[in-house]
Amino acid sequence: MGGLTISSKILDKYFGYLKNLDVRTKKNLILKLTESMENKPNKKTNPEDLFGAWIDKRSSDDIISDIRNSRIEKLNTEDL
């Protein structure tokens, strides 16, 4: 998975905010950025983990009935 790419103009804008930070904060930021660049093993994504089926012991008719019975009808409407 690739990272976010930004233009030089946007990068300069971020640097404008960051250049006024104190030295200690800048060093911490450098460390965090360096750690984020380290090669990490690519986590393989199983396509089957991205979707799934509804798992329920009830029949489809029971599920539909439960959905319909849980609906609330709003009988009291206010005029605007």
Side-chain angles (χ1 to χ4, degrees):
M1 184 167 94
L4 176 67
T5 303
I6 58 174
S7 68
S8 293
K9 185 177 179 180
I10 294 173
L11 187 59
D12 289 340
K13 193 171 190 175
Y14 278 116
F15 183 73
Y17 296 125
L18 300 173
K19 70 181 178 182
N20 296 323
L21 296 174
D22 63 280
V23 174
R24 183 176 175 194
T25 304
K26 286 180 182 177
K27 287 181 179 180
N28 285 334
L29 182 58
I30 291 169
L31 287 172
K32 289 190 178 287
L33 288 170
T34 304
E35 288 172 2
S36 73
M37 292 172 38
E38 291 177 357
N39 291 335
K40 296 178 182 174
N42 289 340
K43 182 179 178 184
K44 299 216 176 194
T45 304
N46 184 359
E48 293 176 357
D49 294 339
L50 301 176
F51 62 91
W54 183 279
I55 300 174
D56 202 325
K57 294 180 181 178
R58 299 175 291 172
S59 69
S60 59
D61 290 333
D62 290 338
I63 294 171
I64 292 169
S65 175
D66 287 345
I67 292 171
R68 288 188 176 148
N69 292 334
S70 68
R71 292 182 182 165
I72 299 171
E73 291 191 31
K74 189 172 183 179
L75 300 176
N76 298 335
T77 57
E78 296 181 21
D79 293 330
L80 296 176

PDB file of all heavy atoms in Angstrom, residues 55-74:
ATOM      1  N   ILE A  55     -24.570 -13.982   9.711  1.00  0.00           N
ATOM      2  CA  ILE A  55     -24.641 -15.279  10.366  1.00  0.00           C
ATOM      3  C   ILE A  55     -25.664 -15.183  11.478  1.00  0.00           C
ATOM      4  O   ILE A  55     -25.534 -14.361  12.382  1.00  0.00           O
ATOM      5  CB  ILE A  55     -23.270 -15.706  10.925  1.00  0.00           C
ATOM      6  CG1 ILE A  55     -22.258 -15.801   9.799  1.00  0.00           C
ATOM      7  CG2 ILE A  55     -23.390 -17.009  11.684  1.00  0.00           C
ATOM      8  CD1 ILE A  55     -20.848 -16.067  10.263  1.00  0.00           C
ATOM      9  N   ASP A  56     -26.685 -15.990  11.387  1.00  0.00           N
ATOM     10  CA  ASP A  56     -27.755 -15.957  12.364  1.00  0.00           C
ATOM     11  C   ASP A  56     -28.446 -17.313  12.341  1.00  0.00           C
ATOM     12  O   ASP A  56     -28.561 -17.952  11.300  1.00  0.00           O
ATOM     13  CB  ASP A  56     -28.751 -14.845  12.011  1.00  0.00           C
ATOM     14  CG  ASP A  56     -29.560 -14.400  13.206  1.00  0.00           C
ATOM     15  OD1 ASP A  56     -29.887 -15.252  14.059  1.00  0.00           O
ATOM     16  OD2 ASP A  56     -29.869 -13.205  13.288  1.00  0.00           O
ATOM     17  N   LYS A  57     -28.897 -17.760  13.493  1.00  0.00           N
ATOM     18  CA  LYS A  57     -29.582 -19.056  13.574  1.00  0.00           C
ATOM     19  C   LYS A  57     -31.044 -18.952  13.172  1.00  0.00           C
ATOM     20  O   LYS A  57     -31.687 -19.951  12.896  1.00  0.00           O
ATOM     21  CB  LYS A  57     -29.463 -19.623  14.988  1.00  0.00           C
ATOM     22  CG  LYS A  57     -28.043 -19.968  15.365  1.00  0.00           C
ATOM     23  CD  LYS A  57     -27.960 -20.521  16.767  1.00  0.00           C
ATOM     24  CE  LYS A  57     -26.519 -20.841  17.112  1.00  0.00           C
ATOM     25  NZ  LYS A  57     -26.361 -21.335  18.465  1.00  0.00           N
ATOM     26  N   ARG A  58     -31.553 -17.699  13.152  1.00  0.00           N
ATOM     27  CA  ARG A  58     -32.954 -17.506  12.802  1.00  0.00           C
ATOM     28  C   ARG A  58     -33.155 -17.665  11.291  1.00  0.00           C
ATOM     29  O   ARG A  58     -32.242 -17.456  10.505  1.00  0.00           O
ATOM     30  CB  ARG A  58     -33.419 -16.110  13.214  1.00  0.00           C
ATOM     31  CG  ARG A  58     -33.311 -15.859  14.705  1.00  0.00           C
ATOM     32  CD  ARG A  58     -33.659 -14.436  15.038  1.00  0.00           C
ATOM     33  NE  ARG A  58     -32.606 -13.560  14.505  1.00  0.00           N
ATOM     34  CZ  ARG A  58     -32.675 -12.238  14.490  1.00  0.00           C
ATOM     35  NH1 ARG A  58     -33.738 -11.621  14.965  1.00  0.00           N
ATOM     36  NH2 ARG A  58     -31.700 -11.516  14.004  1.00  0.00           N
ATOM     37  N   SER A  59     -34.375 -17.994  10.923  1.00  0.00           N
ATOM     38  CA  SER A  59     -34.689 -18.077   9.501  1.00  0.00           C
ATOM     39  C   SER A  59     -34.846 -16.667   8.947  1.00  0.00           C
ATOM     40  O   SER A  59     -35.010 -15.692   9.692  1.00  0.00           O
ATOM     41  CB  SER A  59     -35.994 -18.857   9.294  1.00  0.00           C
ATOM     42  OG  SER A  59     -37.090 -18.108   9.780  1.00  0.00           O
ATOM     43  N   SER A  60     -34.807 -16.538   7.632  1.00  0.00           N
ATOM     44  CA  SER A  60     -34.956 -15.223   7.025  1.00  0.00           C
ATOM     45  C   SER A  60     -36.324 -14.623   7.351  1.00  0.00           C
ATOM     46  O   SER A  60     -36.448 -13.418   7.560  1.00  0.00           O
ATOM     47  CB  SER A  60     -34.747 -15.296   5.517  1.00  0.00           C
ATOM     48  OG  SER A  60     -35.676 -16.188   4.939  1.00  0.00           O
ATOM     49  N   ASP A  61     -37.355 -15.459   7.428  1.00  0.00           N
ATOM     50  CA  ASP A  61     -38.690 -14.958   7.771  1.00  0.00           C
ATOM     51  C   ASP A  61     -38.714 -14.394   9.193  1.00  0.00           C
ATOM     52  O   ASP A  61     -39.353 -13.369   9.452  1.00  0.00           O
ATOM     53  CB  ASP A  61     -39.739 -16.071   7.631  1.00  0.00           C
ATOM     54  CG  ASP A  61     -39.979 -16.459   6.177  1.00  0.00           C
ATOM     55  OD1 ASP A  61     -39.774 -15.591   5.299  1.00  0.00           O
ATOM     56  OD2 ASP A  61     -40.367 -17.614   5.937  1.00  0.00           O
ATOM     57  N   ASP A  62     -38.015 -15.063  10.120  1.00  0.00           N
ATOM     58  CA  ASP A  62     -37.956 -14.563  11.498  1.00  0.00           C
ATOM     59  C   ASP A  62     -37.212 -13.232  11.572  1.00  0.00           C
ATOM     60  O   ASP A  62     -37.614 -12.320  12.302  1.00  0.00           O
ATOM     61  CB  ASP A  62     -37.278 -15.578  12.418  1.00  0.00           C
ATOM     62  CG  ASP A  62     -38.132 -16.816  12.644  1.00  0.00           C
ATOM     63  OD1 ASP A  62     -39.359 -16.727  12.462  1.00  0.00           O
ATOM     64  OD2 ASP A  62     -37.554 -17.863  13.013  1.00  0.00           O
ATOM     65  N   ILE A  63     -36.148 -13.103  10.820  1.00  0.00           N
ATOM     66  CA  ILE A  63     -35.371 -11.865  10.816  1.00  0.00           C
ATOM     67  C   ILE A  63     -36.219 -10.722  10.259  1.00  0.00           C
ATOM     68  O   ILE A  63     -36.274  -9.630  10.831  1.00  0.00           O
ATOM     69  CB  ILE A  63     -34.068 -12.028  10.007  1.00  0.00           C
ATOM     70  CG1 ILE A  63     -33.145 -13.039  10.701  1.00  0.00           C
ATOM     71  CG2 ILE A  63     -33.364 -10.686   9.823  1.00  0.00           C
ATOM     72  CD1 ILE A  63     -31.937 -13.429   9.894  1.00  0.00           C
ATOM     73  N   ILE A  64     -36.891 -10.977   9.144  1.00  0.00           N
ATOM     74  CA  ILE A  64     -37.750  -9.960   8.539  1.00  0.00           C
ATOM     75  C   ILE A  64     -38.857  -9.558   9.507  1.00  0.00           C
ATOM     76  O   ILE A  64     -39.164  -8.375   9.673  1.00  0.00           O
ATOM     77  CB  ILE A  64     -38.330 -10.468   7.196  1.00  0.00           C
ATOM     78  CG1 ILE A  64     -37.201 -10.605   6.176  1.00  0.00           C
ATOM     79  CG2 ILE A  64     -39.421  -9.541   6.687  1.00  0.00           C
ATOM     80  CD1 ILE A  64     -37.601 -11.335   4.914  1.00  0.00           C
ATOM     81  N   SER A  65     -39.431 -10.523  10.169  1.00  0.00           N
ATOM     82  CA  SER A  65     -40.479 -10.244  11.139  1.00  0.00           C
ATOM     83  C   SER A  65     -39.953  -9.386  12.292  1.00  0.00           C
ATOM     84  O   SER A  65     -40.611  -8.433  12.716  1.00  0.00           O
ATOM     85  CB  SER A  65     -41.050 -11.564  11.667  1.00  0.00           C
ATOM     86  OG  SER A  65     -41.983 -11.323  12.673  1.00  0.00           O
ATOM     87  N   ASP A  66     -38.759  -9.702  12.783  1.00  0.00           N
ATOM     88  CA  ASP A  66     -38.171  -8.914  13.870  1.00  0.00           C
ATOM     89  C   ASP A  66     -37.911  -7.475  13.428  1.00  0.00           C
ATOM     90  O   ASP A  66     -38.135  -6.533  14.195  1.00  0.00           O
ATOM     91  CB  ASP A  66     -36.866  -9.551  14.347  1.00  0.00           C
ATOM     92  CG  ASP A  66     -37.089 -10.819  15.148  1.00  0.00           C
ATOM     93  OD1 ASP A  66     -38.248 -11.052  15.568  1.00  0.00           O
ATOM     94  OD2 ASP A  66     -36.114 -11.566  15.358  1.00  0.00           O
ATOM     95  N   ILE A  67     -37.445  -7.310  12.212  1.00  0.00           N
ATOM     96  CA  ILE A  67     -37.188  -5.958  11.700  1.00  0.00           C
ATOM     97  C   ILE A  67     -38.486  -5.171  11.605  1.00  0.00           C
ATOM     98  O   ILE A  67     -38.576  -4.026  12.039  1.00  0.00           O
ATOM     99  CB  ILE A  67     -36.476  -6.014  10.333  1.00  0.00           C
ATOM    100  CG1 ILE A  67     -35.058  -6.570  10.510  1.00  0.00           C
ATOM    101  CG2 ILE A  67     -36.444  -4.634   9.677  1.00  0.00           C
ATOM    102  CD1 ILE A  67     -34.342  -6.868   9.222  1.00  0.00           C
ATOM    103  N   ARG A  68     -39.484  -5.785  11.053  1.00  0.00           N
ATOM    104  CA  ARG A  68     -40.778  -5.104  10.907  1.00  0.00           C
ATOM    105  C   ARG A  68     -41.395  -4.781  12.265  1.00  0.00           C
ATOM    106  O   ARG A  68     -41.976  -3.720  12.451  1.00  0.00           O
ATOM    107  CB  ARG A  68     -41.723  -5.950  10.074  1.00  0.00           C
ATOM    108  CG  ARG A  68     -41.333  -5.961   8.613  1.00  0.00           C
ATOM    109  CD  ARG A  68     -42.372  -6.630   7.752  1.00  0.00           C
ATOM    110  NE  ARG A  68     -41.963  -6.524   6.354  1.00  0.00           N
ATOM    111  CZ  ARG A  68     -42.224  -7.428   5.430  1.00  0.00           C
ATOM    112  NH1 ARG A  68     -42.920  -8.509   5.738  1.00  0.00           N
ATOM    113  NH2 ARG A  68     -41.828  -7.252   4.193  1.00  0.00           N
ATOM    114  N   ASN A  69     -41.271  -5.685  13.206  1.00  0.00           N
ATOM    115  CA  ASN A  69     -41.857  -5.457  14.540  1.00  0.00           C
ATOM    116  C   ASN A  69     -41.094  -4.408  15.343  1.00  0.00           C
ATOM    117  O   ASN A  69     -41.645  -3.816  16.264  1.00  0.00           O
ATOM    118  CB  ASN A  69     -41.925  -6.761  15.331  1.00  0.00           C
ATOM    119  CG  ASN A  69     -42.934  -7.737  14.744  1.00  0.00           C
ATOM    120  OD1 ASN A  69     -43.894  -7.327  14.098  1.00  0.00           O
ATOM    121  ND2 ASN A  69     -42.698  -9.014  14.951  1.00  0.00           N
ATOM    122  N   SER A  70     -39.850  -4.189  15.003  1.00  0.00           N
ATOM    123  CA  SER A  70     -39.060  -3.211  15.753  1.00  0.00           C
ATOM    124  C   SER A  70     -39.254  -1.792  15.232  1.00  0.00           C
ATOM    125  O   SER A  70     -38.788  -0.843  15.854  1.00  0.00           O
ATOM    126  CB  SER A  70     -37.578  -3.579  15.690  1.00  0.00           C
ATOM    127  OG  SER A  70     -37.096  -3.417  14.381  1.00  0.00           O
ATOM    128  N   ARG A  71     -39.941  -1.643  14.130  1.00  0.00           N
ATOM    129  CA  ARG A  71     -40.186  -0.306  13.579  1.00  0.00           C
ATOM    130  C   ARG A  71     -41.146   0.464  14.479  1.00  0.00           C
ATOM    131  O   ARG A  71     -42.075  -0.081  15.043  1.00  0.00           O
ATOM    132  CB  ARG A  71     -40.782  -0.409  12.178  1.00  0.00           C
ATOM    133  CG  ARG A  71     -39.794  -0.958  11.174  1.00  0.00           C
ATOM    134  CD  ARG A  71     -40.425  -0.993   9.817  1.00  0.00           C
ATOM    135  NE  ARG A  71     -39.491  -1.570   8.849  1.00  0.00           N
ATOM    136  CZ  ARG A  71     -39.836  -2.002   7.654  1.00  0.00           C
ATOM    137  NH1 ARG A  71     -41.091  -1.924   7.257  1.00  0.00           N
ATOM    138  NH2 ARG A  71     -38.938  -2.489   6.837  1.00  0.00           N
ATOM    139  N   ILE A  72     -40.888   1.733  14.571  1.00  0.00           N
ATOM    140  CA  ILE A  72     -41.737   2.613  15.369  1.00  0.00           C
ATOM    141  C   ILE A  72     -42.391   3.613  14.431  1.00  0.00           C
ATOM    142  O   ILE A  72     -41.701   4.319  13.689  1.00  0.00           O
ATOM    143  CB  ILE A  72     -40.913   3.376  16.431  1.00  0.00           C
ATOM    144  CG1 ILE A  72     -40.245   2.378  17.378  1.00  0.00           C
ATOM    145  CG2 ILE A  72     -41.762   4.356  17.187  1.00  0.00           C
ATOM    146  CD1 ILE A  72     -39.261   3.005  18.315  1.00  0.00           C
ATOM    147  N   GLU A  73     -43.700   3.670  14.499  1.00  0.00           N
ATOM    148  CA  GLU A  73     -44.416   4.635  13.679  1.00  0.00           C
ATOM    149  C   GLU A  73     -44.643   5.885  14.514  1.00  0.00           C
ATOM    150  O   GLU A  73     -45.128   5.822  15.640  1.00  0.00           O
ATOM    151  CB  GLU A  73     -45.728   4.075  13.192  1.00  0.00           C
ATOM    152  CG  GLU A  73     -45.549   2.957  12.187  1.00  0.00           C
ATOM    153  CD  GLU A  73     -46.843   2.576  11.508  1.00  0.00           C
ATOM    154  OE1 GLU A  73     -47.701   3.467  11.337  1.00  0.00           O
ATOM    155  OE2 GLU A  73     -46.981   1.413  11.165  1.00  0.00           O
ATOM    156  N   LYS A  74     -44.295   6.997  13.934  1.00  0.00           N
ATOM    157  CA  LYS A  74     -44.465   8.258  14.638  1.00  0.00           C
ATOM    158  C   LYS A  74     -45.827   8.835  14.257  1.00  0.00           C
ATOM    159  O   LYS A  74     -46.025   9.343  13.168  1.00  0.00           O
ATOM    160  CB  LYS A  74     -43.353   9.226  14.256  1.00  0.00           C
ATOM    161  CG  LYS A  74     -43.314  10.451  15.078  1.00  0.00           C
ATOM    162  CD  LYS A  74     -42.077  11.271  14.789  1.00  0.00           C
ATOM    163  CE  LYS A  74     -42.051  12.475  15.693  1.00  0.00           C
ATOM    164  NZ  LYS A  74     -40.863  13.272  15.455  1.00  0.00           N
TER     165      LYS A  74
END
